[in-house]
Amino acid sequence: MLLSFIVHTYSLRYWFPATVMLGTAPAYLLSWWVWRLCSTVLPLRLYHKLDDRLYCVYQSMVLFFFENYTGVEIVIYGDIPKKKENVVYLSNHQCTADWIIADMLAIRQDALGHVRYVLKDGLKWLPLYGWYFSQHGGVYVKRSAKFEEQAMKKKLLTQVEAGTPMYLVIFPEGTRYNPELKNVISSSQEFASKEGLALLKHTLTPRMKASHVAIEAMKDHLDAVYDVTVAYEGTLDSAGHRLPAPTMPEFLCKECPRVHVHFERVAMKEVPLEPLFFRRWLHERFEIKDRLLTSFYESDDAQQRSRFPGEGRRSALSIAKTLPSMMVLGGLTVPLLLTESGRSLYVRTWVYGTLLGWLWMNVSP
């Protein structure tokens, strides 16, 4: 009986925030649809401005749970610019919580509403979210030979022409690094060897297509590339072996005490645009990541293990930046659930929103 209660209480640590985040989605989408209809006769720039603001409200609520609720410590190595910039954010990829780390950095620049993602094509089928991420400027890409370069370039150029602020998050590895998936790691290293590139131990070999298309298409719109390396503390066992990074449920269950983020700003003039040179440049950036992660997991000095080289500083996020958003979205959601007509509208938003998203993804060019 006691064990059952403990297990149930533990699961609530995840289900409570997950229920709130998913439960407020219809209210958020209803608000967005109202604004989208009202903005059809307004300049596109004005639409993007309020869309970014609405997106900031929702993502701030998400960060309330992932940062304030969990109590995770964020340790940053390097200096994040205080002003907002148009950037491409390049990071290593190891778990489903990685996109949250991009949000954590963006909110510290007051640029959370500008965050857009390059996502795997299959994620566009997520109910409500898949369609909305695309509406907000996200780009869905297919892998390898099926990669649609022109479609991605066209969408990004449309954003540039509209003057849309850009904080474009890309994970060049294409899939998550998991130390337990030896076949994925060996396949990645075989590809690097075949291409004459240095073998990487703690990341996968980066694929250049999406990153190159994004940077080349937006070169006159971008201020910099943010080169970010992320490591989750608590992912080293007693024998010194690297463990998988936490999943989103594990993160919300407060199983990750600390996240280490190595940040480097690379000015656009330092990024080569010619494809061959860009490929080498991108791989060299991942060689640097690999050395940082090797030090994090394998340093001979026990004092330097589970941290990056150099000075890291703890960066706490004020609850004043996140709690108001949760209260606003909760205030929009609760009235919908208190009346029969509201509940009906809530359910229809889920159903019709999912259906409209499916139709849009299939019919739009």
Side-chain angles (χ1 to χ4, degrees):
M1 185 71 175
L2 179 60
L3 180 60
S4 176
F5 174 76
I6 292 173
V7 170
H8 180 66
T9 302
Y10 177 82
S11 68
L12 285 177
R13 298 170 75 181
Y14 162 61
W15 284 109
F16 169 64
T19 299
V20 174
M21 286 186 283
L22 292 173
T24 55
Y28 173 77
L29 264 295
L30 280 171
S31 302
W32 175 81
W33 277 330
V34 170
W35 166 239
R36 191 67 184 104
L37 290 172
C38 294
S39 67
T40 53
V41 295
L42 298 175
L44 189 60
R45 187 185 295 267
L46 184 57
Y47 159 70
H48 282 303
K49 189 171 183 178
L50 189 55
D51 177 50
D52 281 7
R53 186 58 200 156
L54 288 171
Y55 182 79
C56 182
V57 170
Y58 186 82
Q59 292 296 72
S60 296
M61 181 267 293
V62 170
L63 284 176
F64 168 79
F65 288 109
F66 274 92
E67 192 160 351
N68 299 120
Y69 170 81
T70 62
V72 64
E73 285 187 359
I74 308 301
V75 183
I76 299 177
Y77 303 75
D79 297 320
I80 300 175
K82 294 182 179 179
K83 67 175 184 178
K84 301 176 186 178
E85 296 186 292
N86 291 319
V87 303
V88 168
Y89 170 111
L90 301 178
S91 175
N92 59 314
H93 191 24
Q94 51 202 309
C95 68
T96 52
D98 288 335
W99 66 276
I100 294 291
I101 308 303
D103 285 358
M104 289 175 176
L105 295 188
I107 199 172
R108 285 162 168 79
Q109 288 181 273
D110 292 323
L112 185 57
H114 304 170
V115 174
R116 310 170 210 284
Y117 306 96
V118 173
L119 300 162
K120 289 187 290 189
D121 191 64
L123 294 176
K124 68 185 181 184
W125 304 115
L126 285 172
L128 297 184
Y129 293 98
W131 178 53
Y132 176 71
F133 279 146
S134 180
Q135 290 292 298
H136 185 64
V139 181
Y140 291 104
V141 296
K142 297 178 181 178
R143 296 178 182 175
S144 305
K146 296 182 179 180
F147 179 79
E148 298 174 347
E149 179 177 335
Q150 290 306 314
M152 180 179 182
K153 184 178 293 187
K154 180 180 178 181
K155 180 156 191 178
L156 292 174
L157 286 174
T158 300
Q159 301 285 322
V160 170
E161 291 167 4
T164 306
M166 187 61 64
Y167 196 107
L168 187 65
V169 178
I170 304 177
F171 300 106
E173 290 162 279
T175 192
R176 296 188 294 271
Y177 176 98
N178 184 335
E180 295 180 350
L181 300 180
K182 304 298 184 184
N183 59 325
V184 174
I185 297 171
S186 61
S187 176
S188 175
Q189 291 177 339
E190 287 172 9
F191 174 80
S193 180
K194 179 181 177 182
E195 298 296 320
L197 302 170
L199 301 186
L200 305 175
K201 184 177 181 181
H202 286 286
T203 72
L204 301 178
T205 303
R207 305 302 174 112
M208 65 165 277
K209 287 184 179 179
S211 304
H212 182 258
V213 169
I215 292 173
E216 200 280 329
M218 299 190 296
K219 58 182 181 293
D220 297 325
H221 187 58
L222 298 174
D223 297 302
V225 170
Y226 288 174
D227 185 7
V228 178
T229 307
V230 179
Y232 298 90
E233 196 165 317
T235 52
L236 195 64
D237 66 17
S238 57
H241 300 134
R242 182 177 176 179
L243 299 171
T247 62
M248 288 177 68
E250 289 170 342
F251 200 103
L252 288 170
C253 285
K254 309 182 182 183
E255 293 187 14
C256 179
R258 205 167 285 108
V259 178
H260 296 259
V261 182
H262 189 279
F263 178 92
E264 184 176 352
R265 181 187 186 275
V266 182
M268 278 300 297
K269 64 181 180 181
E270 299 177 23
V271 182
L273 297 178
E274 199 283 324
L276 180 60
F277 294 126
F278 179 84
R279 183 186 212 177
R280 289 285 179 181
W281 174 85
L282 182 62
H283 197 82
E284 286 169 2
R285 300 310 306 183
F286 269 75
E287 289 178 50
I288 295 172
K289 294 180 187 297
D290 198 56
R291 289 195 290 271
L292 289 169
L293 291 166
T294 298
S295 175
F296 187 93
Y297 289 107
E298 302 179 19
S299 176
D300 293 331
D301 184 350
Q303 298 297 320
Q304 295 300 315
R305 216 170 297 143
S306 292
R307 55 166 293 134
F308 287 131
E311 183 180 353
R313 71 181 191 283
R314 289 179 173 83
S315 176
L317 179 64
S318 170
I319 197 171
K321 285 195 170 186
T322 59
L323 184 59
S325 294
M326 193 183 76
M327 295 175 68
V328 168
L329 288 171
L332 291 173
T333 303
V334 171
L336 286 177
L337 300 177
L338 291 179
T339 64
E340 185 176 345
S341 59
R343 287 191 294 272
S344 176
L345 178 61
Y346 183 92
V347 172
R348 286 202 301 271
T349 301
W350 268 108
V351 174
Y352 293 144
T354 302
L355 178 61
L356 285 171
W358 184 88
L359 289 172
W360 183 86
M361 289 294 183
N362 279 276
V363 174
S364 62

PDB file of all heavy atoms in Angstrom, residues 108-129:
ATOM      1  N   ARG A 108      16.654  34.163 -21.579  1.00  0.00           N
ATOM      2  CA  ARG A 108      17.646  35.000 -20.895  1.00  0.00           C
ATOM      3  C   ARG A 108      18.089  36.172 -21.765  1.00  0.00           C
ATOM      4  O   ARG A 108      18.784  37.071 -21.287  1.00  0.00           O
ATOM      5  CB  ARG A 108      18.838  34.137 -20.470  1.00  0.00           C
ATOM      6  CG  ARG A 108      18.523  33.266 -19.250  1.00  0.00           C
ATOM      7  CD  ARG A 108      19.490  32.123 -19.064  1.00  0.00           C
ATOM      8  NE  ARG A 108      19.328  31.491 -17.754  1.00  0.00           N
ATOM      9  CZ  ARG A 108      18.371  30.613 -17.445  1.00  0.00           C
ATOM     10  NH1 ARG A 108      17.480  30.263 -18.365  1.00  0.00           N
ATOM     11  NH2 ARG A 108      18.296  30.088 -16.233  1.00  0.00           N
ATOM     12  N   GLN A 109      17.713  36.158 -23.035  1.00  0.00           N
ATOM     13  CA  GLN A 109      17.951  37.291 -23.930  1.00  0.00           C
ATOM     14  C   GLN A 109      16.651  38.014 -24.269  1.00  0.00           C
ATOM     15  O   GLN A 109      16.644  38.885 -25.134  1.00  0.00           O
ATOM     16  CB  GLN A 109      18.587  36.809 -25.247  1.00  0.00           C
ATOM     17  CG  GLN A 109      20.028  36.369 -25.138  1.00  0.00           C
ATOM     18  CD  GLN A 109      20.561  35.931 -26.496  1.00  0.00           C
ATOM     19  OE1 GLN A 109      20.421  34.772 -26.879  1.00  0.00           O
ATOM     20  NE2 GLN A 109      21.151  36.859 -27.231  1.00  0.00           N
ATOM     21  N   ASP A 110      15.560  37.621 -23.611  1.00  0.00           N
ATOM     22  CA  ASP A 110      14.236  38.147 -23.946  1.00  0.00           C
ATOM     23  C   ASP A 110      13.905  37.902 -25.411  1.00  0.00           C
ATOM     24  O   ASP A 110      13.276  38.730 -26.072  1.00  0.00           O
ATOM     25  CB  ASP A 110      14.151  39.651 -23.629  1.00  0.00           C
ATOM     26  CG  ASP A 110      14.204  39.923 -22.120  1.00  0.00           C
ATOM     27  OD1 ASP A 110      13.631  39.115 -21.362  1.00  0.00           O
ATOM     28  OD2 ASP A 110      14.819  40.915 -21.720  1.00  0.00           O
ATOM     29  N   ALA A 111      14.331  36.746 -25.927  1.00  0.00           N
ATOM     30  CA  ALA A 111      14.101  36.405 -27.334  1.00  0.00           C
ATOM     31  C   ALA A 111      13.294  35.118 -27.472  1.00  0.00           C
ATOM     32  O   ALA A 111      13.313  34.489 -28.524  1.00  0.00           O
ATOM     33  CB  ALA A 111      15.448  36.254 -28.049  1.00  0.00           C
ATOM     34  N   LEU A 112      12.567  34.738 -26.428  1.00  0.00           N
ATOM     35  CA  LEU A 112      11.873  33.451 -26.447  1.00  0.00           C
ATOM     36  C   LEU A 112      10.852  33.358 -27.574  1.00  0.00           C
ATOM     37  O   LEU A 112      10.693  32.305 -28.203  1.00  0.00           O
ATOM     38  CB  LEU A 112      11.194  33.215 -25.093  1.00  0.00           C
ATOM     39  CG  LEU A 112      10.523  31.863 -24.879  1.00  0.00           C
ATOM     40  CD1 LEU A 112      11.517  30.722 -25.083  1.00  0.00           C
ATOM     41  CD2 LEU A 112       9.912  31.774 -23.484  1.00  0.00           C
ATOM     42  N   GLY A 113      10.155  34.458 -27.861  1.00  0.00           N
ATOM     43  CA  GLY A 113       9.153  34.433 -28.915  1.00  0.00           C
ATOM     44  C   GLY A 113       9.739  34.248 -30.300  1.00  0.00           C
ATOM     45  O   GLY A 113       9.024  33.891 -31.242  1.00  0.00           O
ATOM     46  N   HIS A 114      11.039  34.479 -30.458  1.00  0.00           N
ATOM     47  CA  HIS A 114      11.691  34.382 -31.759  1.00  0.00           C
ATOM     48  C   HIS A 114      12.169  32.965 -32.083  1.00  0.00           C
ATOM     49  O   HIS A 114      12.674  32.730 -33.181  1.00  0.00           O
ATOM     50  CB  HIS A 114      12.888  35.328 -31.827  1.00  0.00           C
ATOM     51  CG  HIS A 114      12.542  36.759 -31.547  1.00  0.00           C
ATOM     52  ND1 HIS A 114      13.504  37.734 -31.352  1.00  0.00           N
ATOM     53  CD2 HIS A 114      11.344  37.386 -31.420  1.00  0.00           C
ATOM     54  CE1 HIS A 114      12.906  38.896 -31.115  1.00  0.00           C
ATOM     55  NE2 HIS A 114      11.602  38.707 -31.151  1.00  0.00           N
ATOM     56  N   VAL A 115      12.046  32.046 -31.122  1.00  0.00           N
ATOM     57  CA  VAL A 115      12.572  30.695 -31.317  1.00  0.00           C
ATOM     58  C   VAL A 115      11.727  29.927 -32.326  1.00  0.00           C
ATOM     59  O   VAL A 115      10.499  29.862 -32.222  1.00  0.00           O
ATOM     60  CB  VAL A 115      12.624  29.927 -29.982  1.00  0.00           C
ATOM     61  CG1 VAL A 115      13.044  28.474 -30.222  1.00  0.00           C
ATOM     62  CG2 VAL A 115      13.581  30.599 -29.013  1.00  0.00           C
ATOM     63  N   ARG A 116      12.407  29.361 -33.308  1.00  0.00           N
ATOM     64  CA  ARG A 116      11.776  28.493 -34.299  1.00  0.00           C
ATOM     65  C   ARG A 116      12.706  27.294 -34.477  1.00  0.00           C
ATOM     66  O   ARG A 116      13.904  27.396 -34.229  1.00  0.00           O
ATOM     67  CB  ARG A 116      11.560  29.244 -35.606  1.00  0.00           C
ATOM     68  CG  ARG A 116      10.861  30.591 -35.360  1.00  0.00           C
ATOM     69  CD  ARG A 116      10.810  31.519 -36.549  1.00  0.00           C
ATOM     70  NE  ARG A 116      10.810  32.907 -36.105  1.00  0.00           N
ATOM     71  CZ  ARG A 116       9.772  33.543 -35.590  1.00  0.00           C
ATOM     72  NH1 ARG A 116       8.620  32.915 -35.430  1.00  0.00           N
ATOM     73  NH2 ARG A 116       9.867  34.805 -35.230  1.00  0.00           N
ATOM     74  N   TYR A 117      12.169  26.173 -34.918  1.00  0.00           N
ATOM     75  CA  TYR A 117      12.954  24.944 -34.931  1.00  0.00           C
ATOM     76  C   TYR A 117      13.004  24.322 -36.323  1.00  0.00           C
ATOM     77  O   TYR A 117      12.056  24.428 -37.098  1.00  0.00           O
ATOM     78  CB  TYR A 117      12.342  23.897 -33.985  1.00  0.00           C
ATOM     79  CG  TYR A 117      12.130  24.376 -32.578  1.00  0.00           C
ATOM     80  CD1 TYR A 117      10.889  24.859 -32.177  1.00  0.00           C
ATOM     81  CD2 TYR A 117      13.160  24.359 -31.643  1.00  0.00           C
ATOM     82  CE1 TYR A 117      10.682  25.315 -30.880  1.00  0.00           C
ATOM     83  CE2 TYR A 117      12.961  24.814 -30.350  1.00  0.00           C
ATOM     84  CZ  TYR A 117      11.715  25.287 -29.976  1.00  0.00           C
ATOM     85  OH  TYR A 117      11.509  25.737 -28.701  1.00  0.00           O
ATOM     86  N   VAL A 118      14.121  23.674 -36.615  1.00  0.00           N
ATOM     87  CA  VAL A 118      14.196  22.747 -37.733  1.00  0.00           C
ATOM     88  C   VAL A 118      13.952  21.366 -37.142  1.00  0.00           C
ATOM     89  O   VAL A 118      14.708  20.907 -36.284  1.00  0.00           O
ATOM     90  CB  VAL A 118      15.571  22.810 -38.435  1.00  0.00           C
ATOM     91  CG1 VAL A 118      15.673  21.712 -39.491  1.00  0.00           C
ATOM     92  CG2 VAL A 118      15.762  24.186 -39.083  1.00  0.00           C
ATOM     93  N   LEU A 119      12.862  20.723 -37.575  1.00  0.00           N
ATOM     94  CA  LEU A 119      12.389  19.492 -36.950  1.00  0.00           C
ATOM     95  C   LEU A 119      12.318  18.347 -37.941  1.00  0.00           C
ATOM     96  O   LEU A 119      12.185  18.551 -39.158  1.00  0.00           O
ATOM     97  CB  LEU A 119      10.984  19.721 -36.363  1.00  0.00           C
ATOM     98  CG  LEU A 119      10.865  20.809 -35.298  1.00  0.00           C
ATOM     99  CD1 LEU A 119       9.410  21.232 -35.142  1.00  0.00           C
ATOM    100  CD2 LEU A 119      11.415  20.323 -33.981  1.00  0.00           C
ATOM    101  N   LYS A 120      12.388  17.135 -37.418  1.00  0.00           N
ATOM    102  CA  LYS A 120      12.208  15.954 -38.256  1.00  0.00           C
ATOM    103  C   LYS A 120      10.801  15.944 -38.840  1.00  0.00           C
ATOM    104  O   LYS A 120       9.828  16.284 -38.157  1.00  0.00           O
ATOM    105  CB  LYS A 120      12.467  14.681 -37.447  1.00  0.00           C
ATOM    106  CG  LYS A 120      13.933  14.469 -37.104  1.00  0.00           C
ATOM    107  CD  LYS A 120      14.172  13.120 -36.452  1.00  0.00           C
ATOM    108  CE  LYS A 120      13.600  13.068 -35.057  1.00  0.00           C
ATOM    109  NZ  LYS A 120      14.008  11.835 -34.339  1.00  0.00           N
ATOM    110  N   ASP A 121      10.692  15.524 -40.079  1.00  0.00           N
ATOM    111  CA  ASP A 121       9.431  15.595 -40.813  1.00  0.00           C
ATOM    112  C   ASP A 121       8.280  14.899 -40.093  1.00  0.00           C
ATOM    113  O   ASP A 121       7.145  15.373 -40.125  1.00  0.00           O
ATOM    114  CB  ASP A 121       9.614  14.987 -42.210  1.00  0.00           C
ATOM    115  CG  ASP A 121       8.435  15.255 -43.117  1.00  0.00           C
ATOM    116  OD1 ASP A 121       8.173  16.428 -43.432  1.00  0.00           O
ATOM    117  OD2 ASP A 121       7.747  14.279 -43.491  1.00  0.00           O
ATOM    118  N   GLY A 122       8.560  13.794 -39.423  1.00  0.00           N
ATOM    119  CA  GLY A 122       7.498  13.037 -38.767  1.00  0.00           C
ATOM    120  C   GLY A 122       6.810  13.791 -37.644  1.00  0.00           C
ATOM    121  O   GLY A 122       5.650  13.499 -37.304  1.00  0.00           O
ATOM    122  N   LEU A 123       7.482  14.812 -37.081  1.00  0.00           N
ATOM    123  CA  LEU A 123       6.901  15.551 -35.964  1.00  0.00           C
ATOM    124  C   LEU A 123       5.776  16.491 -36.390  1.00  0.00           C
ATOM    125  O   LEU A 123       5.039  17.002 -35.555  1.00  0.00           O
ATOM    126  CB  LEU A 123       7.991  16.354 -35.242  1.00  0.00           C
ATOM    127  CG  LEU A 123       9.051  15.517 -34.524  1.00  0.00           C
ATOM    128  CD1 LEU A 123      10.139  16.422 -33.940  1.00  0.00           C
ATOM    129  CD2 LEU A 123       8.421  14.678 -33.415  1.00  0.00           C
ATOM    130  N   LYS A 124       5.618  16.694 -37.685  1.00  0.00           N
ATOM    131  CA  LYS A 124       4.544  17.581 -38.139  1.00  0.00           C
ATOM    132  C   LYS A 124       3.165  16.976 -37.883  1.00  0.00           C
ATOM    133  O   LYS A 124       2.150  17.673 -37.939  1.00  0.00           O
ATOM    134  CB  LYS A 124       4.702  17.902 -39.626  1.00  0.00           C
ATOM    135  CG  LYS A 124       4.470  16.728 -40.571  1.00  0.00           C
ATOM    136  CD  LYS A 124       4.778  17.153 -41.993  1.00  0.00           C
ATOM    137  CE  LYS A 124       4.529  16.027 -42.989  1.00  0.00           C
ATOM    138  NZ  LYS A 124       4.911  16.421 -44.362  1.00  0.00           N
ATOM    139  N   TRP A 125       3.114  15.676 -37.568  1.00  0.00           N
ATOM    140  CA  TRP A 125       1.823  15.022 -37.311  1.00  0.00           C
ATOM    141  C   TRP A 125       1.400  15.102 -35.846  1.00  0.00           C
ATOM    142  O   TRP A 125       0.357  14.565 -35.481  1.00  0.00           O
ATOM    143  CB  TRP A 125       1.893  13.554 -37.757  1.00  0.00           C
ATOM    144  CG  TRP A 125       2.302  13.410 -39.191  1.00  0.00           C
ATOM    145  CD1 TRP A 125       3.438  12.844 -39.660  1.00  0.00           C
ATOM    146  CD2 TRP A 125       1.601  13.886 -40.341  1.00  0.00           C
ATOM    147  NE1 TRP A 125       3.493  12.921 -41.024  1.00  0.00           N
ATOM    148  CE2 TRP A 125       2.370  13.558 -41.477  1.00  0.00           C
ATOM    149  CE3 TRP A 125       0.387  14.561 -40.528  1.00  0.00           C
ATOM    150  CZ2 TRP A 125       1.966  13.882 -42.767  1.00  0.00           C
ATOM    151  CZ3 TRP A 125      -0.007  14.883 -41.819  1.00  0.00           C
ATOM    152  CH2 TRP A 125       0.782  14.545 -42.913  1.00  0.00           C
ATOM    153  N   LEU A 126       2.189  15.750 -35.010  1.00  0.00           N
ATOM    154  CA  LEU A 126       1.765  15.937 -33.624  1.00  0.00           C
ATOM    155  C   LEU A 126       0.459  16.730 -33.594  1.00  0.00           C
ATOM    156  O   LEU A 126       0.357  17.776 -34.242  1.00  0.00           O
ATOM    157  CB  LEU A 126       2.829  16.699 -32.831  1.00  0.00           C
ATOM    158  CG  LEU A 126       4.085  15.931 -32.418  1.00  0.00           C
ATOM    159  CD1 LEU A 126       5.100  16.901 -31.822  1.00  0.00           C
ATOM    160  CD2 LEU A 126       3.744  14.843 -31.414  1.00  0.00           C
ATOM    161  N   PRO A 127      -0.551  16.273 -32.875  1.00  0.00           N
ATOM    162  CA  PRO A 127      -1.813  17.017 -32.816  1.00  0.00           C
ATOM    163  C   PRO A 127      -1.591  18.452 -32.351  1.00  0.00           C
ATOM    164  O   PRO A 127      -0.893  18.694 -31.366  1.00  0.00           O
ATOM    165  CB  PRO A 127      -2.637  16.223 -31.784  1.00  0.00           C
ATOM    166  CG  PRO A 127      -2.081  14.836 -31.852  1.00  0.00           C
ATOM    167  CD  PRO A 127      -0.611  15.013 -32.110  1.00  0.00           C
ATOM    168  N   LEU A 128      -2.166  19.401 -33.067  1.00  0.00           N
ATOM    169  CA  LEU A 128      -2.100  20.830 -32.774  1.00  0.00           C
ATOM    170  C   LEU A 128      -0.680  21.391 -32.870  1.00  0.00           C
ATOM    171  O   LEU A 128      -0.419  22.323 -33.625  1.00  0.00           O
ATOM    172  CB  LEU A 128      -2.674  21.141 -31.384  1.00  0.00           C
ATOM    173  CG  LEU A 128      -4.163  20.828 -31.157  1.00  0.00           C
ATOM    174  CD1 LEU A 128      -4.571  21.282 -29.756  1.00  0.00           C
ATOM    175  CD2 LEU A 128      -5.053  21.488 -32.192  1.00  0.00           C
ATOM    176  N   TYR A 129       0.252  20.827 -32.125  1.00  0.00           N
ATOM    177  CA  TYR A 129       1.599  21.377 -32.063  1.00  0.00           C
ATOM    178  C   TYR A 129       2.303  21.327 -33.421  1.00  0.00           C
ATOM    179  O   TYR A 129       2.978  22.282 -33.812  1.00  0.00           O
ATOM    180  CB  TYR A 129       2.444  20.625 -31.032  1.00  0.00           C
ATOM    181  CG  TYR A 129       1.992  20.809 -29.609  1.00  0.00           C
ATOM    182  CD1 TYR A 129       1.194  19.857 -28.979  1.00  0.00           C
ATOM    183  CD2 TYR A 129       2.352  21.938 -28.882  1.00  0.00           C
ATOM    184  CE1 TYR A 129       0.771  20.017 -27.671  1.00  0.00           C
ATOM    185  CE2 TYR A 129       1.950  22.112 -27.565  1.00  0.00           C
ATOM    186  CZ  TYR A 129       1.154  21.146 -26.962  1.00  0.00           C
ATOM    187  OH  TYR A 129       0.741  21.322 -25.676  1.00  0.00           O
TER     188      TYR A 129
END
